[in-house]
Amino acid sequence: MADSNFTNAPGDSLVSLGAAELAEKIAAREVSSEEVTRAHLDRISEVDGEINAFLHVGGDEALAAARAADAAAAAGEAVGPLNGVPVALKDVFTTTDAPTTAGSKILEGYQSPYDATVTARLRTAGLPILGKTNLDEFAMGSSTENSAYGPTRNPHDLSRTPGGSGGGSAAALASFQAPLAIGTDTGGSIRQPAALTGTVGVKPTYGGVSRYGLIACASSLDQGGPCGRTVLDTALLHEAIAGHDARDSTSLDAAVPGVVAAAREGARGDLSGVRVGVVKEFDLATGAQPGVRERFEASLEVLKERGAEIVDVSCPNFVHATAAYYLILPSEVSSNLARFDAMRYGLRVDDDGKHSAEQVMAATRDAGFGAEVKRRIMIGTYALSAGYYDAYYGSAQKVRTLIARDFEAAYEKVDIIVSPATPSTAFGLGEKVDDPLAMYLFDLFTLPLNLAGHCGMSVPVGTASDTGLPVGLQIMAPPQADDRLYRVGATFEAATAG
């Protein structure tokens, strides 16, 4: 493994503290939000030149928000539990005071006239936004190598990927550039980077966090969610951003599960009566790196020691998840990305009065979209074309229904389902770039969850013996049972602390 000290907490610095501890110190007036925010901005300046986790750093804006958080607390105003704790925001959520590029040249320098709901809720809760983090272009990828602004590097080994699409958010956490981060998960883009960087990432129940102002990749799959270095930190952020939003037609009009209470309960360490499912069709003997298998099997032993019952479950249609996903997602991409037409906003090429609108559009999309985005647009357009819709897109939706039914049958027997979050530890930058199928198959454990709209978490389970790199345990639960993730995740975290 390449030498790196980016994952070593820098001594007694404020950046070494978790979000919950920082929130307590800020609330007790032991330290100011401005001091905490400045310390993280200094850390970004120190290390991000080598990691490339951030596409934009909003230092002045973050410090102004921090001073406002301090003033609100000093005035005795009612503030949220994370008031004053800074956060990094994936650059796919719109912001009025920073560019929103979605990692694409076609939106280079674009400034939104409105905040996404997640952005607005972070501001309302008093969290200074440090900046916007790097991602695979339009959240399409598993390595953050598809970004138009260069790859993000894994802080554990700079020659390797931090995962994708949200590698920037996960790398910012792992390198102590931010105590909290926001990601999005369409097929594993929160959980997979969390696993590869040794952090915690949660994909909430579909509709549990508003998608208003989230630049769409695949609208029936996309879901924003929280990322942190501990389960409790992530739960606190989850509650800050979750809840119904009338501006999002897919938003759940239901109470937010008590994820913070569940995390605190889980930390006490008792899983008696909890039934944990292991999917037979996830054939670890052939589908996972030996070091990942070892950590997964050791994780099951930890859960049993804490009182859980391990139960084998069969989900026969999970083996078709990758094929179905890579028809549904490109189809929705083809539709969603049609809005980038060079006419209304963003990049415009050959707009010299000598070319027709169609020529300008073609030249702009050719120059503005990267290779992976173009690949998925072409696949999706073909799958939706006359004569092929039922054979491809329609059939994939039927498989999606079967996967959801597999989950339903499994949850009649168990409370949660677990698996490795990824089949291997972090792979080398450039290793899979020229093999799209190998890149797609890296998501095989995470995809079923998105197709069904359920919730999932990746929690660190140590390092693989064969690479010395982080491994993540994926915990899955039914819709609106997000609290189960946090209870089990916190129990595992407490059992393996130190």
Side-chain angles (χ1 to χ4, degrees):
M1 184 171 66
D3 291 338
S4 169
N5 60 2
F6 295 113
T7 58
N8 295 329
D12 295 328
S13 169
L14 290 172
V15 303
S16 67
L17 302 180
E21 188 174 358
L22 286 171
E24 290 175 2
K25 288 183 176 294
I26 292 169
R29 312 281 292 277
E30 294 178 19
V31 67
S32 70
S33 172
E34 184 174 359
E35 290 174 295
V36 171
T37 301
R38 194 178 298 280
H40 284 91
L41 290 169
D42 288 345
R43 177 69 174 174
I44 293 169
S45 178
E46 176 189 351
V47 307
D48 201 51
E50 295 187 68
I51 295 171
N52 196 32
F54 284 87
L55 294 180
H56 172 81
V57 178
D60 291 343
E61 295 81 3
L63 289 170
R67 287 189 283 269
D70 288 331
E77 297 177 17
V79 295
L82 287 174
N83 182 63
V85 179
V87 63
L89 182 63
K90 188 176 182 181
D91 194 23
V92 74
F93 290 94
T94 56
T95 45
T96 56
D97 57 356
T100 302
T101 70
S104 179
K105 286 290 185 185
I106 209 162
L107 280 175
E108 187 170 16
Y110 170 70
Q111 192 100 358
S112 171
Y114 69 99
D115 277 338
T117 294
V118 165
T119 306
R121 287 181 175 171
L122 292 173
R123 299 194 201 279
T124 299
L127 282 78
I129 298 172
L130 295 166
K132 310 290 285 292
T133 55
N134 200 6
L135 67 151
D136 286 297
E137 185 179 8
F138 288 103
M140 298 182 208
S142 303
S143 65
T144 318
E145 291 174 281
N146 293 328
S147 171
Y149 306 100
T152 298
R153 298 179 180 275
N154 192 319
H156 291 267
D157 181 343
L158 297 182
S159 71
R160 295 176 184 266
T161 172
S165 64
S169 290
L173 291 170
S175 56
F176 298 92
Q177 297 183 70
L180 294 168
I182 299 291
T184 63
D185 195 309
T186 303
S189 290
I190 288 175
R191 290 161 290 154
Q192 189 233 69
L196 300 193
T197 59
T199 58
V200 179
V202 172
K203 183 263 178 204
T205 298
Y206 181 77
V209 173
S210 173
R211 292 188 303 108
Y212 179 78
L214 164 60
I215 295 177
C217 171
S219 300
S220 73
L221 299 164
D222 297 340
Q223 183 58 66
C227 312
R229 287 196 296 269
T230 72
V231 173
L232 177 58
D233 288 356
T234 310
L236 288 164
L237 185 57
H238 189 140
E239 287 199 351
I241 62 173
H244 179 63
D245 179 12
R247 292 174 296 182
D248 175 4
S249 63
T250 63
S251 177
L252 294 172
D253 190 2
V256 177
V259 295
V260 172
R264 296 190 189 279
E265 177 189 355
R268 291 192 282 270
D270 183 15
L271 292 179
S272 298
V274 175
R275 299 164 300 166
V276 177
V278 177
V279 178
K280 295 177 183 178
E281 286 73 20
F282 284 156
D283 186 0
L284 301 186
T286 59
Q289 174 186 316
V292 170
R293 293 203 305 269
E294 290 171 8
R295 295 313 312 156
F296 177 68
E297 289 162 3
S299 301
L300 296 180
E301 292 302 315
V302 171
L303 296 175
K304 284 195 286 187
E305 289 169 4
R306 295 289 161 160
E309 176 189 0
I310 308 300
V311 180
D312 286 338
V313 294
S314 179
C315 297
N317 293 289
F318 279 21
V319 297
H320 305 301
T322 302
Y325 177 88
Y326 281 104
L327 283 170
I328 293 169
L329 176 136
S331 297
E332 296 186 11
V333 163
S334 174
S335 175
N336 277 324
L337 268 61
R339 72 192 67 182
F340 300 102
D341 58 6
M343 297 295 116
R344 289 165 287 188
Y345 47 78
L347 182 70
R348 184 175 296 176
V349 176
D350 286 348
D351 183 24
D352 55 8
K354 300 177 182 178
H355 295 82
S356 68
E358 290 80 5
Q359 289 171 323
V360 171
M361 185 186 303
T364 299
R365 288 167 68 85
D366 180 56
F369 288 144
E372 182 60 30
V373 170
K374 291 174 182 175
R375 179 182 293 114
R376 297 193 191 195
I377 289 173
M378 288 188 288
I379 291 171
T381 302
Y382 183 83
L384 293 175
S385 61
Y388 297 98
Y389 180 97
D390 289 335
Y392 292 108
Y393 184 73
S395 296
Q397 291 287 18
K398 292 175 183 177
V399 171
R400 185 179 197 170
T401 299
L402 295 175
I403 289 170
R405 289 176 181 170
D406 281 352
F407 269 120
E408 290 169 7
Y411 285 126
E412 292 177 1
K413 301 177 181 178
V414 298
D415 302 298
I416 63 163
I417 296 171
V418 296
S419 77
T422 58
S424 75
T425 53
F427 52 89
L429 291 168
E431 186 176 318
K432 299 182 189 292
V433 167
D434 296 325
D435 189 349
L437 182 57
M439 191 76 81
Y440 298 166
L441 290 172
F442 195 69
D443 300 332
L444 67 96
F445 293 132
T446 54
L447 295 178
L449 197 72
N450 298 81
L451 291 168
H454 294 192
C455 54
M457 166 188 285
S458 178
V459 64
V461 293
T463 56
S465 61
D466 46 5
T467 63
L469 293 168
V471 177
L473 173 70
Q474 180 179 216
I475 306 168
M476 297 172 267
Q480 295 181 267
D482 305 56
D483 51 331
R484 297 185 195 177
L485 306 176
Y486 287 94
R487 179 188 172 193
V488 175
T491 298
F492 186 89
E493 183 180 69
T496 56

